[in-house]
Amino acid sequence: AQSVTQLDSQVPVFEEAPVELRCNYSSSVSVYLFWYVQYPNQGLQLLLKYLSGSTLVESINGFEAEFNKSQTSFHLRKPSVHISDTAEYFCAVSEDSSYKLIFGSGTRLLVRP
Amino acid sequence: DAGVIQSPRHEVTEMGQEVTLRCKPISGHDYLFWYRQTMMRGLELLIYFNNNVPIDDSGMPEDRFSAKMPNASFSTLKIQPSEPRDSAVYFCATVGDRDSDTQYFGPGTRLTVL
């Protein structure tokens, strides 16, 4: 069965510092990998996704994630965070033949001035 | 497009009452998902539909929960009778053919059962 582990429930960081949010998954088949972001009192929004091809994927607001098959990881990184990046971030996995997403428990990114 | 629309945004009810949550998907999206989010259990998939037909309801917690999609533009999630442990934020999300790997979430309904 698929599962997603986000080890860090909360990550505090100062503005303009780099950040990495960790995500590991388990699956016996090929997977698609996603990061979704949830701002306070809102629904989730897709941040970036890995389907195939280049293992490094980027979002329009400076986040990137790298698919590492050998380590079954899909960590999210940003070299310099802003106050506005404060949100909860969810890693998710789906099998390549399914629309069904399995979400991790989420990591709350708290950016301090 | 207005995005996925959910109503009500907030619902407070008493234990034992029937609760109905509503979702209007993005036009043309033929997959619809219902999720529940709580602090303890995180984000759980309850049920999803394809072309108005339920595909997987294995996440529905018990018989008190039911979901319908009578047409392509409307879905309901009903809890009868409601219990305090049902308090959560319920999200609806939809997927369309043009961007078939992306789920678009509604703003959610915050349910409080007293």
Side-chain angles (χ1 to χ4, degrees):
Chain A
Q2 295 174 325
S3 68
V4 179
T5 302
Q6 293 181 250
L7 288 174
D8 305 307
S9 60
Q10 183 164 302
V11 173
V13 63
F14 287 108
E15 192 174 19
E16 298 184 5
V19 70
E20 179 179 81
L21 307 184
R22 295 180 293 169
C23 172
N24 288 89
Y25 69 93
S26 66
S27 176
S28 58
V29 299
S30 297
V31 296
Y32 293 160
L33 294 159
F34 305 82
W35 277 99
Y36 279 78
V37 58
Q38 184 180 28
Y39 298 103
N41 300 312
Q42 295 185 26
L44 281 70
Q45 305 171 33
L46 180 68
L47 186 60
L48 47 74
K49 60 190 175 188
Y50 169 79
L51 306 179
S52 64
S54 173
T55 57
L56 184 65
V57 290
E58 299 176 350
S59 72
I60 58 173
N61 57 353
F63 283 93
E64 65 178 30
E66 185 158 20
F67 169 54
N68 188 319
K69 189 175 182 179
S70 62
Q71 297 187 7
T72 60
S73 68
F74 191 56
H75 301 331
L76 181 70
R77 295 186 290 262
K78 189 171 185 179
S80 176
V81 294
H82 302 284
I83 297 285
S84 60
D85 292 324
T86 293
E88 186 136 19
Y89 293 79
F90 292 90
C91 183
V93 62
S94 73
E95 293 181 356
D96 57 10
S97 61
S98 168
Y99 291 97
K100 187 174 175 179
L101 287 177
I102 305 298
F103 284 91
S105 55
T107 298
R108 184 173 299 278
L109 175 62
L110 180 57
V111 182
R112 297 167 174 165
Chain B
D1 200 316
V4 177
I5 299 173
Q6 291 188 247
S7 64
R9 293 294 310 276
H10 301 273
E11 176 80 35
V12 180
T13 190
E14 292 188 348
M15 183 174 63
Q17 296 298 305
E18 178 179 295
V19 175
T20 300
L21 311 181
R22 297 173 176 81
C23 175
K24 177 178 170 56
I26 294 172
S27 178
H29 281 200
D30 51 9
Y31 280 83
L32 185 143
F33 301 78
W34 281 102
Y35 292 92
R36 177 173 68 177
Q37 185 178 39
T38 61
M39 290 291 292
M40 293 298 296
R41 301 174 67 92
L43 200 61
E44 305 171 277
L45 176 64
L46 301 177
I47 185 171
Y48 76 96
F49 296 83
N50 177 219
N51 290 323
N52 315 334
V53 176
I55 302 301
D56 184 346
D57 65 355
S58 59
M60 295 287 263
E62 48 197 277
D63 292 346
R64 297 184 298 107
F65 285 70
S66 62
K68 294 182 179 179
M69 192 163 185
N71 56 61
S73 59
F74 185 63
S75 177
T76 60
L77 177 67
K78 187 173 293 187
I79 309 172
Q80 166 63 13
S82 59
E83 297 182 2
R85 60 192 168 120
D86 302 330
S87 297
V89 181
Y90 291 82
F91 289 103
C92 175
T94 67
V95 174
D97 281 344
R98 283 188 64 186
D99 194 7
S100 61
D101 45 66
T102 300
Q103 293 195 14
Y104 291 84
F105 282 75
T109 295
R110 182 174 296 276
L111 173 65
T112 302
V113 183
L114 303 174

